Amino acid sequence: MSVLRPLDKLPCLNTATILLVGTEDALLQQLADSMLREDCASELKVHLARSLPLPSNVNRPRIDLIVFVVNLHSKYSLQNVQESLCHVDASFFLGKVCFLASGAGRESHCSIHRNTVVKLAHTYRSPLLFCDLEVEGFRVSMAQRLLHMLQVCAGHVPGVSALNLLSLLRHSEGPSLEDL
């Protein structure tokens, strides 16, 4: 079983790599395209995967941030993310993983309750972002937000670490686990 570890590779100078994991190929590609269109101080690398583990490839770049995308309209999407989480080293959860729940805008069509994804994010002590990736304006805004997070996770923002970012994002989250 192949497990992704954040320190398997040394960081590359001025390079930031994000891995988007999810079952919605078209939406992930649109999000990746939106990210690549943004102005980025670093050389941006965006990789897409339907699930983990990734194929073993010695030339794979260091991954600075993993985004698990859950489509709230698909129970398979949630199951896929849950199974993929087993292939991520625990040290990634120190600020280098986040969850993105897509489709929250059309709650009547959701087959996954929001609290299910909130509990998943709390279990892994990782931030959770909500966005409707099908709406271009929201997708562009999310791309910008993920780029800012990626810059921090890649170590390109002086004085701010991924753990600092994790702490800031936690304070801006909704209800605590005890409230659920």
Side-chain angles (χ1 to χ4, degrees):
M1 177 163 82
S2 175
V3 174
L4 273 178
R5 290 183 174 78
L7 301 176
D8 280 351
K9 306 265 182 178
L10 292 174
C12 294
L13 187 61
N14 208 30
T15 300
T17 305
I18 188 168
L19 174 63
L20 304 174
V21 180
T23 58
E24 306 295 319
D25 294 337
L27 290 177
L28 290 183
Q29 186 61 57
Q30 289 173 349
L31 179 59
D33 291 343
S34 294
M35 292 179 76
L36 291 168
R37 279 192 290 275
E38 291 296 318
D39 225 6
C40 185
S42 306
E43 179 188 341
L44 175 63
K45 294 183 180 182
V46 181
H47 294 272
L48 308 177
R50 285 186 70 60
S51 63
L52 297 180
L54 295 175
S56 56
N57 179 353
V58 293
N59 295 326
R60 182 182 332 133
R62 171 188 163 114
I63 297 170
D64 298 301
L65 176 64
I66 301 174
V67 180
F68 288 100
V69 181
V70 177
N71 182 344
L72 295 176
H73 303 250
S74 167
K75 289 185 179 185
Y76 171 70
S77 175
L78 176 64
Q79 177 186 354
N80 180 64
V81 165
Q82 290 171 323
E83 290 171 3
S84 293
L85 286 165
C86 301
H87 301 283
V88 178
D89 186 73
S91 57
F92 253 111
F93 296 100
L94 296 174
K96 293 186 176 269
V97 167
C98 81
F99 294 90
L100 186 135
S102 179
R106 296 175 299 159
E107 198 163 342
S108 61
H109 293 85
C110 291
S111 56
I112 301 169
H113 196 276
R114 283 181 179 211
N115 283 347
T116 303
V117 183
V118 169
K119 288 179 182 179
L120 178 69
H122 276 287
T123 298
Y124 287 93
R125 301 285 188 220
S126 297
L128 170 62
L129 307 169
F130 287 92
C131 178
D132 197 344
L133 291 177
E134 293 178 358
V135 178
E136 184 179 2
F138 293 148
R139 186 174 53 248
V140 169
S141 178
M142 183 54 60
Q144 292 168 348
R145 187 167 186 185
L146 289 174
L147 276 177
H148 290 298
M149 290 175 63
L150 176 60
Q151 290 292 327
V152 170
C153 292
H156 299 166
V157 178
V160 183
S161 73
L163 284 174
N164 294 128
L165 180 66
L166 179 63
S167 175
L168 290 171
L169 288 171
R170 245 197 224 132
H171 292 301
S172 67
E173 285 179 1
S176 68
L177 188 56
E178 293 79 29
D179 295 337
L180 299 177

